[in-house]
């Protein structure tokens, strides 16, 4: 779905169906809203098949974000994409490290993964 999202984004821009800024915003919104809506559903599933289906849909939406946020590096600094990726990925790693402790805290106090997925959905939204 990441490649499909890129193709759709390119098609919308090349056919002038939407401006580059509009396409970036729509792809980012889809890439973040989809997982935000599906994370609580994933936390509430009780069957393996349903969990796999929801997780596949969730990750499918998340890859659409590549055509929004990550492509912005090319728009902002086309000659310094590597540096931009390095800086933004470094900054984005900090919440990932903190989330381990937060997840442990939520699991300890609520004894449920639903609380963890709800927190993730809130952050994603």
């Amino acid at each position: 779905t990441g490649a499909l999202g890129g193709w759709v984004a390119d098609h919308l821009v090349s056919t002038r169906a939407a401006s580059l800024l509009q396409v970036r915003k729509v792809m980012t919104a889809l890439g973040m809203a989809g997982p935000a809506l599906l994370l609580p559903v994933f936390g509430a599933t009780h069957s393996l098949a349903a969990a796999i289906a929801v997780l596949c849909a969730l990750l499918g939406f998340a890859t659409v974000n590549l055509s929004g946020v990550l492509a912005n590096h090319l728009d902002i600094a086309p000659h310094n994409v590597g540096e931009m990726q390095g800086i933004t990925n470094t900054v984005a790693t900090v919440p990932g490290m903190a989330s381990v402790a937060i997840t442990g805290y939520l699991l300890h106090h609520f004894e449920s993964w639903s609380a963890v997925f709800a927190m993730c959905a809130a952050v994603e939204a």
Side-chain angles (χ1 to χ4, degrees):
T1 51
L4 180 62
W7 181 86
V8 169
D10 288 345
H11 180 72
L12 290 171
V13 172
S14 67
T15 59
R16 299 185 195 272
S19 71
L20 182 62
L21 183 60
Q22 289 170 325
V23 169
R24 296 286 189 250
K25 287 180 179 181
V26 167
M27 293 300 182
T28 300
L30 284 173
M32 297 188 82
L37 294 172
L38 291 173
L39 271 167
V41 175
F42 178 69
T45 57
H46 296 291
S47 78
L48 179 61
I52 290 171
V54 172
L55 189 59
C56 287
L58 187 151
L59 292 174
F61 274 109
T63 61
V64 173
N65 199 24
L66 300 174
S67 304
V69 171
L70 292 182
N72 273 337
H73 292 99
L74 290 167
D75 300 334
I76 295 169
H79 300 292
N80 300 88
V81 173
E83 290 87 348
M84 291 288 294
Q85 286 280 8
I87 291 167
T88 57
N89 283 341
T90 299
V91 171
T93 300
V94 174
M97 291 186 296
S99 68
V100 174
I102 294 168
T103 299
Y105 174 83
L106 291 172
L107 285 173
H108 178 73
H109 287 287
F110 293 101
E111 297 180 358
S112 168
W113 280 96
S114 295
V116 175
F117 294 129
M119 182 209 52
C120 292
V123 169
E124 189 75 28

